[in-house]
Amino acid sequence: MISGTGFTIEPPEFVRHASRGLRPDVATASELAEIEAQCEKEEAICVACEDCMMVLDLRPGPEGLEVFVWLAIAFRHGAYERQDAALLAIARDLGAQTIAFVARRRGWARRLGPEWHRRGTDEFMRRVT
């Protein structure tokens, strides 16, 4: 378990397994292969729980270290709401000041709480508290 959450570290091939049937407008086959390759090179990490799978990396951001979510796939409805605190705990334990992701689907602005802010046209970020 990671950071007292239900998440475990998964092998790079889990990206391919979890993304079967994913629509190309969310992530293309070549993007998924690149994400899996990032995990193989240990430049990103695949984590999963019963609700979802995420691929994360830690990078310099505009406000310090940032956890960037390359890919998140829900296995059950409501995963975001249930796992938001776990993602925050992981980011906090990694020493990140922010969390960010690129939204490929519309509607995220309505689902995210007031702690999330737009960065550009399709990216969202929040401070780690």
Side-chain angles (χ1 to χ4, degrees), residues 9-59:
I9 297 172
E10 299 297 332
E13 59 270 10
F14 194 81
V15 173
R16 191 173 342 114
H17 170 73
S19 61
R20 283 191 204 132
L22 197 63
R23 295 186 350 227
D25 61 329
V26 175
T28 65
S30 63
E31 288 171 323
L32 292 169
E34 176 60 26
I35 290 169
E36 186 174 346
Q38 293 295 318
C39 292
E40 288 169 353
K41 293 188 291 187
E42 297 182 355
E43 294 177 4
I45 189 168
C46 177
V47 298
C49 67
E50 65 181 19
D51 267 341
C52 62
M53 179 274 293
M54 295 185 290
V55 176
L56 314 170
D57 78 8
L58 190 62
R59 60 176 65 174

Side-chain angles (χ1 to χ4, degrees), residues 74 77-81 106-116:
H77 181 73
Y80 164 72
E81 290 80 4
R106 295 176 8 173
W108 274 106
R110 291 187 305 272
R111 295 195 69 194
L112 298 172
E115 65 277 3
W116 288 91

Side-chain angles (χ1 to χ4, degrees), residues 3 6 12 22 24 29 47 53 55 61-62 64 68 73 90 92 101 107 128:
S3 303
L22 197 63
V47 298
M53 179 274 293
V55 176
F68 188 82
I73 299 173
I90 292 168
R92 191 178 305 112
F101 71 97
V128 174

